[in-house]
Amino acid sequence: MINSYIFERNRDLMRQPIFVLLILLIVPLSVSAQYTDMINTNRPGVSQGAFSVGKKVFQFETGISLGKEEHRLRQTETSGMAIDYALRYGFFKEELEVSVIGIYQRDQVTDTRGATNTEFTQSNFKSNTVGVKYLIYDPYRKKVLEKPNLLSWKANNKFQWADLIPAVSVYAGANFDFADNPFTPEAESSISPKLILATQNNFIGGFVLVTNILADRVTTDFPSYGYIVTLTHATNDYFSIFVENQGFKSDFYADQILRAGAAVLINKDFHVDLSLSLNFKDTPSLFYGRVGAAYRFDFHAQDEFIEEKGKAGREAKREEKQKNKDLKKKKKQLKKDKKRKDSIDLEDVEDDGGR
């Protein structure tokens, strides 16, 4: 369910395609519940948004990448193909999501150092991680209680300092690396942790900023630390663009990668995307094109609002409980009234028949 505060604050803006697609397509937006009517996906970038897919929602995201790498020092040229995948499921609480995320890579490598070029193939999982993400802070949940300024469009749509406060989630996962893997630092099979701090800002005007701070394989001899910053903007009802910068560093491999691309909404549960990736060094240089899609299997039964914490949460829970109690009592009374009316109508029919 989309946050009603956002709807009210942006009533006029939402008539514009920019805002609508942002709600429908790119990443989980300002919501009082994790679930939204339209698919929310981390694609076409590689960062993780702060919000989950929603309780009882299963989502499959995948893509295929083709590209070239050239290593100046090793004097190798590589034609690479990669398949990335993410299986995401929201369960137990609206804030919680479990996922399996990975990349399978296959390279055709040409070594040009000798008099005659030699070729070989290498393939394995670059990453394969099972993890859990939990939303620990949502600045948008209280805004549903705020009232819009009915006299001023400008007041409802101007920048507010509170917009700089992001939603925050934490991700903890386990890497499953296999032996004799050319894409990972460990020679033997291993299991190691992966930690992510994810933040998300949803700005007026159709912009979403996602940042990830990562610590990967921290218990191994080759820990990796990095960041991802993704900026997304919708341009019309069905089309959006993004730009992303990723940096990471370890004793095994370090790089800075720039990505850009676009996504298209096909229907409320399905979208496709296209992106390009490149870096700015020659050990190796890389350039990849990537096409992908995301599909949602929606088993969400009803909207469940994220509860407030502490005293406010207890009061809200009591109010919700009383509201449900009153609703049940009203339904019960309506059922009694209907039964009484049917009984009276039946007596009238019998009286008419006896005349």
Side-chain angles (χ1 to χ4, degrees):
M1 181 174 179
I2 301 299
N3 194 326
S4 60
Y5 168 83
I6 297 297
F7 274 120
E8 293 297 336
R9 183 179 172 190
N10 300 283
R11 184 182 297 277
D12 294 327
L13 182 60
M14 285 178 59
R15 296 193 181 103
Q16 303 300 318
I18 286 176
F19 198 85
V20 175
L21 183 63
L22 187 59
I23 291 176
L24 303 184
L25 180 60
I26 299 300
V27 287
L29 299 191
S30 303
V31 289
S32 55
Q34 300 290 277
Y35 175 80
T36 56
D37 290 334
M38 299 292 176
I39 185 171
N40 292 319
T41 169
N42 291 326
R43 298 185 65 87
V46 301
S47 61
Q48 292 196 38
F51 295 93
S52 77
V53 292
K55 189 175 177 182
K56 295 184 180 179
V57 172
F58 175 74
Q59 195 157 297
F60 179 62
E61 305 173 12
T62 188
I64 183 168
S65 303
L66 298 172
K68 294 280 189 180
E69 299 182 23
E70 293 186 8
H71 202 293
R72 178 179 58 85
L73 297 180
R74 296 177 183 172
Q75 298 180 37
T76 57
E77 298 176 359
T78 302
S79 296
M81 184 275 289
I83 298 174
D84 62 86
Y85 53 89
L87 290 80
R88 305 168 60 194
Y89 183 68
F91 74 107
F92 184 57
K93 299 180 71 174
E94 286 290 318
E95 302 100 322
L96 192 62
E97 172 186 299
V98 64
S99 61
V100 178
I101 303 172
I103 304 172
Y104 180 82
Q105 179 94 16
R106 186 179 188 278
D107 290 344
Q108 183 71 39
V109 183
T110 302
D111 190 332
T112 62
R113 285 176 293 185
T116 305
N117 293 346
T118 58
E119 294 185 354
F120 62 93
T121 301
Q122 58 185 24
S123 59
N124 213 312
F125 289 91
K126 290 186 76 171
S127 64
N128 196 40
T129 309
V130 178
V132 176
K133 181 170 67 177
Y134 185 77
L135 179 71
I136 59 174
Y137 179 69
D138 179 6
Y140 306 107
R141 64 187 177 192
K142 290 184 179 179
K143 292 184 179 181
V144 70
L145 302 175
E146 297 180 15
K147 303 297 182 183
N149 188 330
L150 301 178
L151 303 178
S152 174
W153 179 92
K154 184 178 180 181
N156 292 326
N157 294 277
K158 69 179 182 179
F159 170 80
Q160 298 182 21
W161 287 107
D163 294 338
L164 296 177
I165 302 174
V168 180
S169 68
V170 290
Y171 169 90
N175 295 300
F176 292 85
D177 295 326
F178 301 100
D180 301 320
N181 189 338
F183 306 111
T184 57
E186 299 294 325
E188 303 296 328
S189 296
S190 65
I191 300 175
S192 59
K194 180 174 185 176
L195 304 172
I196 300 176
L197 177 68
T199 70
Q200 182 173 323
N201 294 89
N202 306 315
F203 296 114
I204 296 299
F207 290 90
V208 172
L209 179 67
V210 172
T211 63
N212 287 179
I213 305 298
L214 303 94
D216 201 5
R217 298 184 173 93
V218 291
T219 59
T220 70
D221 294 331
F222 299 91
S224 176
Y225 303 95
Y227 70 89
I228 309 173
V229 180
T230 308
L231 181 65
T232 301
H233 180 56
T235 60
N236 60 43
D237 283 348
Y238 304 98
F239 189 78
S240 66
I241 57 177
F242 89 103
V243 62
E244 180 175 88
N245 177 244
Q246 179 181 12
F248 51 91
K249 184 176 183 180
S250 76
D251 292 337
F252 179 71
Y253 182 57
D255 211 339
Q256 289 276 339
I257 300 174
L258 180 67
R259 298 182 183 90
V264 179
L265 181 70
I266 305 300
N267 60 46
K268 69 183 183 70
D269 295 317
F270 179 51
H271 101 239
V272 296
D273 55 76
L274 179 68
S275 63
L276 298 173
S277 302
L278 59 88
N279 67 351
F280 302 99
K281 68 174 192 174
D282 54 13
T283 55
S285 64
L286 63 84
F287 181 81
Y288 278 86
R290 180 185 183 215
V291 61
Y295 190 83
R296 179 177 75 164
F297 297 89
D298 188 359
F299 305 110
H300 193 274
Q302 63 182 31
D303 295 330
E304 298 179 23
F305 289 88
I306 296 174
E307 296 178 359
E308 293 284 355
K309 311 299 181 187
K311 184 179 178 182
R314 290 191 295 273
E315 290 177 356
K317 199 170 184 179
R318 280 196 293 269
E319 289 175 5
E320 185 68 20
K321 193 174 181 181
Q322 185 61 43
K323 186 178 177 182
N324 291 335
K325 193 175 179 181
D326 293 341
L327 186 60
K328 284 181 181 179
K329 193 181 288 184
K330 189 175 180 181
K331 285 182 179 179
K332 195 174 181 180
Q333 187 60 46
L334 286 171
K335 195 177 286 186
K336 283 183 179 180
D337 293 343
K338 186 177 184 301
K339 189 179 279 188
R340 190 180 297 115
K341 184 178 182 299
D342 291 343
S343 177
I344 293 171
D345 291 343
L346 185 60
E347 287 178 2
D348 291 342
V349 170
E350 288 175 352
D351 291 342
D352 291 341
R355 288 193 191 100

